[in-house]
Amino acid sequence: MKKISILAIAFSTFLISCDNQLASDRDPIEDKVDSLLAKMTLTEKIGQTAQRGTSSRVKGPLSEELKTAVREGRIGSLINVMNKKYVDELQRIAVEESPNGIPLIFGRDVIHGFKTIFPIPLGQAATWNPQLVREGARIAAVEASTFGVRWTFAPMLDIARDPRWGRIAESPGEDPYLASILSEAYVKGFQGDDLANPSSMMACAKHFVGYGAAEGGRDYNTAIIHEPLLRNVYLPPFQKAIDAGVQTFMSGFNELNGVPVSGNQFLLDQILRQEWKFDGFVVSDWNSVTEMIAHGYCQDEKEAALKAATAGVDMEMTSQAYDNYLGELIDSGEIDLAQLDRMVRAILRVKFRMGLFDQPYRIDKPEVVLSEEHLEKAKNSAVQSVVLLKNDNKILPLASEKKLAVIGPMADAPLDQLGTWVFDGNQKDSVTPLTALKESLGTESFNFVPALDYSRDRSELQFQAAVDAARKSDVILFFGGEEAILSGEAHSRAHINLPGAQERLIKELKRKTKKPIVLVIQAGRPITLENIINDVDAIVMAWHAGTMAGPAIVDIISGKANPSGRLPISWPKSVGQIPMYYNYKNTGRPASAKTFVGIDDIPRGAWQSSLGNESHYLDDGFTPQYPFGYGLSYASFSYDNMTLSSDTLSEGAEMIIRFDITNTSHLEGVETAQIYVLDKVGSITRPVRELKGFKRVNLKPLEKKTVEIIIHTDDLSFYNGNNQLVLEPGEFSVFVGSNAQATMRKDFWIR
Ligand code: BGC
């Protein structure tokens, strides 16, 4: 008996200490959330789930109706309020006059800069430099937060394999590994070291998920992605965002495998919350809750509210299905009050983490906006985003004594160089290539004839003037591309070549003058070059590089900076090749250069199966114009002495891949060394290779460096046909080199 009671005392002491332990481990924010939630009325709870807003261009005036809604606690967040006075006034009403003084969060699409515009995200991905990306995001937060924007709807983490899709401009490209590294960089940059700091801007991982797989690249379209592919390719950058501390997710517009993602419980609940333990909140995309009616997935707004809330959308952007029907759905028992509490709890938790209850107001610091330091960083990012695609006869960098003809619609296009999703950047702050050329070369050393007024211009009236200017020059610097409006949301293109009369103009210039042509492309996507690639001597891909695009491009073409950008996406030869991505599957009949017979070489009357019967196009072959990871430098590099620390690994082990890179030129340059792995045999078929590591290496003239990249066996695991993450024993190959076609190879085994 005594024994038992001693045991009982010991046990209860243990329980009490566990309890204390638990109490002290519990995040104090959770207590604050609970006690606030306990005081809130149903109206206020539903209010927290509402995000109201106007389109990006409307700036006011503040309606009495809006003020009343805030005062009554019927709004949790606002989007696109871009007048500092209104931001302050609305926040004051929320904090001082609403029933529980819950602050609002002000959100905005701050995608690649706020006033200081950085390259479009696809361009930033081409830097392969996460530190630079992080700094760019930090600067965006520092500037935007002074206007009260504490929440950005970025980063967009949609893997994109189709450059017809306009939003590829906003994407991190086609590769899940690179996208995951960038995901972390963006989240940490936007959110800073301390989310509660008034200069931090909460990030939003979007669009969860599959939006980039829109059929045919047509925006908002159907996405069909089988689950292992979803888990191996589309989900990793999102999961990485959680590891980096992202506080919000956005559910997209698209349907995935038949269910719109804004009503998709499998994605928003099972994967996001149960598997990944995400404890922030999910906001819908703009009206994506009520758009489930047009999808044919919901009968009406009420059903849309039911399905979105049940699936896991906590806050509804702009449409008002929650506002109109959540109350009714709770009364009828179709939605449990506990479910609404869970939604509101997530929103409040994040508001506490952002420090909004202690410091709800923005801190005005106009001096940071477009500061010299920010412009310098934006220029550096633009320089590093530039990808040199072609450089015949080393025409670039341009020798200073060469007389230039500056031609083309994008030489002086201050709005277009900013790119898509620039709500706050101003074209008057842009420094165009023309301005930068004038500043660095003076006006005497070049003749400027735009010849086309904008990228779609079809008029040939100025062609002769352009030819005349070219005749008086040594080199033609042709600034081509597409206007900002041709990429971005809902701006898909079926043809992705240079629009308007640009190709005709290039051909005319070549035919009539025979002068070398340097084509500088400013565009939101890869541009197919099949019609003109042989007419131009050099090609510089400058994306839409933002406020400082001009000085960055001029530094590159003059040789002040050495190009170091690498493609974050395969560059197709033609639209017909799309989708064209490097991590494809081999098929049972892989194409090969040895057996390939191109369309012009087929003998007339050839026997049906005399061409080898392999997976390729007769006309465009089986390789892209430029592979993923590709980019030239003015320097040249060679690789050798590749070794693996071991050729047999067991689970949990690491392998060091070592190799030497030599700068074989007399110019300093940066080489981005890339590691690709092929898992030769799998329980489901595996991609022909996958990027598993990279390093940017700076090399002085003739310098040689030994580079080490470590991979862990975890990096080689994948989701199998049962959607389990597995590491499968077997033989692997690792390739090292400067792009996805790298050939230096070693094999190893996982036992
Ligand atoms: C886009 C989102 C964006 C939202 C708010 C939508 O049309 O798909 O990416 O964040 O608008 O502007």
Side-chain angles (χ1 to χ4, degrees):
M1 186 69 194
K2 209 169 171 196
K3 231 178 180 175
I4 289 172
S5 66
I6 289 171
L7 264 182
I9 291 167
F11 186 61
S12 61
T13 321
F14 170 75
L15 279 183
I16 290 167
S17 78
C18 280
D19 234 36
N20 285 342
Q21 175 80 26
L22 284 179
S24 66
D25 274 359
R26 189 173 146 92
D27 183 343
I29 282 183
E30 298 303 317
D31 295 332
K32 292 184 188 169
V33 170
D34 283 348
S35 63
L36 180 54
L37 201 61
K39 290 188 272 180
M40 290 167 73
T41 61
L42 184 63
T43 306
E44 277 177 282
K45 288 180 183 175
I46 295 173
Q48 284 305 303
T49 70
Q51 181 179 66
R52 282 299 126 68
T54 50
S55 90
S56 58
R57 297 184 78 85
V58 183
K59 298 219 165 86
L62 261 193
S63 72
E64 280 312 309
E65 194 196 335
L66 181 62
K67 288 198 222 172
T68 306
V70 172
R71 191 170 289 119
E72 291 175 357
R74 289 191 283 113
I75 293 184
S77 168
L78 286 159
I79 174 172
N80 296 336
V81 180
M82 290 316 293
N83 177 316
K84 291 181 181 177
K85 246 179 37 216
Y86 297 162
V87 168
D88 296 344
E89 172 66 355
L90 289 164
Q91 191 68 304
R92 192 198 58 72
I93 295 174
V95 171
E96 292 179 10
E97 299 176 15
S98 78
N100 281 294
I102 303 173
L104 298 161
I105 320 181
F106 293 91
R108 176 80 158 169
D109 290 276
V110 182
I111 307 295
H112 52 112
F114 182 65
K115 296 282 182 195
T116 305
I117 302 300
F118 282 68
I120 52 167
L122 191 61
Q124 290 192 53
T127 67
W128 291 54
N129 187 340
Q131 183 54 30
L132 212 58
V133 168
R134 183 171 172 164
E135 284 171 11
R138 187 85 287 276
I139 285 170
V142 165
E143 292 191 357
S145 58
T146 69
F147 279 68
V149 180
R150 292 288 312 279
W151 183 16
T152 178
F153 304 111
M156 181 176 123
L157 301 173
D158 297 302
I159 295 295
R161 293 171 159 184
D162 192 332
R164 289 172 296 185
W165 189 49
R167 295 195 87 165
I168 200 163
E170 242 185 291
S171 86
E174 74 185 26
D175 179 65
Y177 177 81
L178 180 60
S180 299
I181 303 257
L182 299 173
S183 162
E184 179 179 14
Y186 277 115
V187 171
K188 291 194 166 160
F190 286 134
Q191 296 195 166
D193 299 330
D194 173 13
L195 200 59
N197 185 315
S199 80
S200 286
M201 190 164 63
M202 186 166 66
C204 181
K206 76 184 187 186
H207 305 85
F208 197 63
V209 60
Y211 184 39
E215 239 174 35
R218 289 185 294 279
D219 211 350
Y220 314 122
N221 226 285
T222 310
I224 300 169
I225 308 173
H226 63 75
E227 197 177 324
L229 182 65
L230 182 73
R231 290 182 180 274
N232 289 323
V233 172
Y234 290 86
L235 289 179
F238 287 97
Q239 192 167 10
K240 193 65 169 201
I242 295 185
D243 298 344
V246 80
Q247 294 296 308
T248 63
F249 265 60
M250 185 187 290
S251 64
F253 288 128
N254 57 294
E255 66 164 77
L256 178 68
N257 303 333
V259 178
V261 297
S262 292
N264 198 314
Q265 197 159 11
F266 167 67
L267 298 172
L268 300 178
D269 189 47
Q270 187 179 314
I271 293 186
L272 189 55
R273 295 201 170 84
Q274 294 182 39
E275 290 182 28
W276 294 354
K277 313 283 178 233
F278 175 65
D279 70 355
F281 72 87
V282 175
V283 65
S284 74
D285 203 343
W286 189 280
N287 293 354
S288 69
V289 170
T290 51
E291 285 178 12
M292 292 197 290
I293 302 167
H295 272 284
Y297 185 64
C298 301
Q299 184 70 33
D300 50 24
E301 260 195 32
K302 184 173 170 188
E303 193 181 6
L306 173 64
K307 285 191 164 156
T310 310
V313 172
D314 302 312
M315 183 182 276
E316 184 183 8
M317 185 186 280
T318 56
S319 55
Q320 297 191 22
Y322 282 8
D323 197 14
N324 295 335
Y325 293 103
L326 276 187
E328 210 177 305
L329 288 162
I330 283 169
D331 285 348
S332 67
E334 285 165 274
I335 290 184
D336 203 359
L337 186 58
Q339 166 67 13
L340 178 64
D341 282 352
R342 195 203 57 69
M343 293 158 64
V344 179
R345 191 174 272 120
I347 295 167
L348 295 176
R349 177 184 295 133
V350 167
K351 288 189 174 181
F352 275 109
R353 286 179 180 163
M354 290 175 71
L356 285 174
F357 287 87
D358 298 324
Q359 170 51 285
Y361 298 106
R362 72 188 175 83
I363 297 179
D364 213 2
K365 281 194 189 161
E367 70 282 5
V368 301
V369 168
L370 289 161
S371 70
E372 225 172 274
E373 185 202 339
H374 291 185
L375 291 171
E376 196 46 44
K377 289 256 158 75
K379 178 183 165 189
N380 191 23
S381 179
V383 165
Q384 293 196 28
S385 74
V386 170
V387 185
L388 178 63
L389 297 174
K390 175 175 178 177
N391 194 16
D392 283 0
N393 305 317
K394 299 209 168 143
I395 175 110
L396 288 176
L398 290 174
S400 56
E401 68 282 1
K402 296 260 195 257
K403 186 132 177 100
L404 305 178
V406 176
I407 296 174
M410 300 293 286
D412 196 28
L415 175 68
D416 294 316
Q417 73 182 42
L418 296 179
T420 187
W421 280 115
V422 171
F423 286 163
D424 300 288
N426 198 324
Q427 58 170 314
K428 78 169 176 19
D429 301 317
S430 292
V431 187
T432 67
L434 182 70
T435 309
L437 280 168
K438 283 183 188 158
E439 272 166 23
S440 76
L441 303 180
T443 41
E444 321 76 54
S445 56
F446 68 91
N447 299 300
F448 173 55
V449 180
L452 296 166
D453 291 342
Y454 58 109
S455 74
R456 288 162 296 149
D457 191 351
R458 292 182 187 278
S459 161
E460 297 188 4
L461 289 176
Q462 301 173 62
F463 275 25
Q464 191 53 46
V467 169
D468 293 344
R471 284 203 173 113
K472 285 186 247 153
S473 318
D474 304 312
V475 176
I476 300 165
L477 202 48
F478 190 99
F479 285 92
E482 51 177 13
E483 296 149 80
I485 193 71
L486 299 189
S487 61
E489 184 175 348
H491 301 161
S492 298
R493 294 179 61 200
H495 303 279
I496 57 169
N497 57 337
L498 292 175
Q502 294 182 69
E503 291 183 342
R504 282 209 304 283
L505 177 56
I506 289 172
K507 287 201 164 297
E508 181 102 338
L509 288 166
K510 192 68 187 183
R511 191 170 60 82
K512 293 203 167 148
T513 73
K514 308 268 186 299
K515 298 281 165 81
I517 301 181
V518 173
L519 170 63
V520 178
I521 302 174
Q522 294 180 78
R525 55 161 68 78
I527 294 291
T528 50
L529 301 163
E530 52 188 336
N531 298 328
I532 46 149
I533 193 155
N534 296 324
D535 298 308
V536 299
D537 300 78
I539 305 175
V540 174
M541 180 56 176
W543 316 99
H544 288 135
T547 310
M548 297 299 279
I553 292 170
V554 170
D555 275 8
I556 292 278
I557 58 185
S558 65
K560 208 164 152 198
N562 194 346
S564 64
R566 297 288 182 266
L567 293 177
I569 179 146
S570 307
W571 188 297
K573 287 180 185 149
S574 62
V575 164
Q577 278 191 323
I578 298 170
M580 170 61 72
Y581 48 92
Y582 84 93
N583 44 357
Y584 59 91
K585 303 288 188 74
N586 220 6
T587 79
R589 295 186 176 189
S592 95
K594 271 195 210 130
T595 46
F596 175 70
V597 183
I599 195 161
D600 295 326
D601 300 323
I602 304 172
R604 278 191 72 188
W607 178 52
Q608 150 137 7
S609 43
S610 64
L611 303 181
N613 288 12
E614 288 166 359
S615 178
H616 54 235
Y617 293 106
L618 293 176
D619 41 11
D620 272 339
F622 53 93
T623 51
Q625 187 74 60
Y626 301 111
F628 174 84
Y630 172 87
L632 302 172
S633 161
Y634 298 149
S636 46
F637 307 100
S638 71
Y639 287 72
D640 53 15
N641 297 330
M642 176 183 183
T643 59
L644 305 184
S645 56
S646 160
D647 59 8
T648 311
L649 298 178
S650 43
E651 189 164 357
E654 282 182 345
M655 177 173 68
I656 307 170
I657 301 153
R658 249 187 224 102
F659 49 94
D660 293 339
I661 307 182
T662 309
N663 182 347
T664 53
S665 76
H666 292 276
L667 283 172
E668 182 169 352
V670 172
E671 167 67 345
T672 302
Q674 299 159 39
I675 297 286
Y676 295 87
V677 174
L678 158 67
D679 177 357
K680 289 190 178 167
V681 179
S683 59
I684 57 171
T685 56
R686 308 285 294 123
V688 290
R689 56 180 65 188
E690 295 173 294
L691 182 71
K692 293 294 178 188
F694 64 87
K695 218 169 230 178
R696 285 170 54 88
V697 187
N698 192 79
L699 292 149
K700 298 252 164 12
L702 303 177
E703 189 183 10
K704 176 184 202 160
K705 275 188 184 163
T706 300
V707 179
E708 285 186 1
I709 296 183
I710 297 174
I711 55 179
H712 187 275
T713 54
D714 285 354
D715 302 331
L716 305 174
S717 53
F718 66 98
Y719 284 90
N720 67 11
N722 299 322
N723 303 306
Q724 288 156 333
L725 188 63
V726 290
L727 177 71
E728 292 185 345
E731 194 180 5
F732 292 73
S733 296
V734 51
F735 301 85
V736 171
S738 54
N739 62 59
Q741 290 174 353
T743 51
M744 193 162 77
R745 174 187 128 187
K746 293 265 176 223
D747 297 336
F748 65 96
W749 288 83
I750 292 194
R751 304 253 186 225

